[in-house]
Every structure is written in C-alpha cells, then in structure tokens.
Amino acid sequence: MNGNVPSPTGSDDQAEQRVRLGLRLKSTREYLGLSQQQVSELSGIVRSAVSDIERGMRRVEVMELQKLARLYRLPASYFLDEEEAADAGEHALAGLPRTGRPLSEGDRIEVAKFIQYLHARRQAEEEDGVLRPSLGPEGGA
C-alpha cells in the first residue's frame, strides 16, 4: 500500500484517530472561512488530499500537518490531541512561551482581558447548567 489509503486490515483505533483528526482540521478550516481549494492553494496540498484527510480516508503526512497547522495558526499538538473536547486555546497558550516573540504590553493586557472573559463565561454556563458552544474551531462562531 502507498501509506495514504486506509488498509482494510488497519485497526479501528487508527481509523478513529484519522476521523477525529480530519474533523478537527475541517472544523478549523470552516471556522476560518476557508474553502478546501483555498487551503490547497495556500498550503500546496492538493485539494483532493485535503478532502480525503478531512474525511479520515487518508493519513496525514507530518509535513502536511505542519503546513496545515501553520496555515491555521494553531500548534500541531491541538490536531493530534486525543481528547474529544480538546481546546485549541489551551494548546496555543501552552506554546506561547516557545514563540520567541514577547508580547507587547497592550497584547498582554488583551490576553488577560480575554482570559477573564472566558472564565466568567464558563462560570455563567456552569451556573445555568448549560454549556454553550464556545468561539473557536471546535464550537463555531
């Protein structure tokens, strides 16, 4: 086999991982308002491959995942997280110290305000007993 087409003898766990990864990539692309064609043009990955990856029908090569993560401005670890409720923000924040670029004072203030907002929203959701979809790749806008 060429490594890109799922093997009929492949494990269900591997197929499940491909589907989870594909759905996360698709939801992020859609959240960003990009078409598969635009992703293809911006990443250099052929459109049919983008489609197959998003449907879990094709393995993602390491270099492809790096290109997509860079395009979507999220760490590759977010897409590989096995938790259903993986939070893109947590992965992005975890990688922040490694960016090598210090945030400006204004940026730090904005990040702090946003964190406060997220905490307040989560607390309100818990008090209501209703978890609303969050802004971001997993929850839609």
Side-chain angles (χ1 to χ4, degrees), residues 120-133:
R121 186 185 69 190
R122 177 61 62 186
Q123 185 176 11
E125 289 171 349
E126 289 172 357
E127 288 172 3
D128 289 348
V130 176
L131 292 179
R132 295 174 189 91

Side-chain angles (χ1 to χ4, degrees), residues 37-55:
Q37 185 61 41
Q38 289 169 314
V39 169
S40 173
E41 291 167 5
L42 293 168
S43 69
I45 301 169
V46 295
R47 197 209 57 77
S48 61
V50 172
S51 175
D52 288 347
I53 289 167
E54 287 184 355
R55 291 182 297 126

Side-chain angles (χ1 to χ4, degrees), residues 70-90:
R70 195 169 26 255
L71 175 63
Y72 297 156
R73 298 186 186 269
L74 286 168
S77 63
Y78 165 67
F79 298 104
L80 298 173
D81 195 324
E82 293 185 11
E83 294 295 319
E84 286 291 324
D87 184 338
E90 287 181 19

Side-chain angles (χ1 to χ4, degrees), residues 3-71:
N4 292 334
V5 178
S7 166
T9 60
S11 77
D12 288 340
D13 187 46
Q14 289 175 345
E16 212 175 280
Q17 288 173 349
R18 281 193 307 270
V19 168
R20 185 176 36 251
L21 172 62
L23 289 173
R24 200 162 281 163
L25 287 164
K26 180 180 180 180
S27 67
T28 302
R29 175 184 58 77
E30 289 175 342
Y31 173 75
L32 295 172
L34 296 171
S35 68
Q36 289 181 344
Q37 185 61 41
Q38 289 169 314
V39 169
S40 173
E41 291 167 5
L42 293 168
S43 69
I45 301 169
V46 295
R47 197 209 57 77
S48 61
V50 172
S51 175
D52 288 347
I53 289 167
E54 287 184 355
R55 291 182 297 126
M57 301 302 296
R58 179 184 180 282
R59 291 185 188 144
V60 182
E61 301 296 327
V62 173
M63 296 303 290
E64 292 171 329
L65 182 57
Q66 289 175 333
K67 288 178 182 181
L68 292 169
R70 195 169 26 255
L71 175 63

Side-chain angles (χ1 to χ4, degrees), residues 100-119:
R101 291 188 213 155
L103 294 175
S104 70
E105 182 63 23
D107 288 344
R108 284 194 295 277
I109 291 169
E110 288 302 313
V111 168
K113 286 179 184 177
F114 190 65
I115 289 170
Q116 289 173 343
Y117 161 76
L118 292 175
H119 283 299

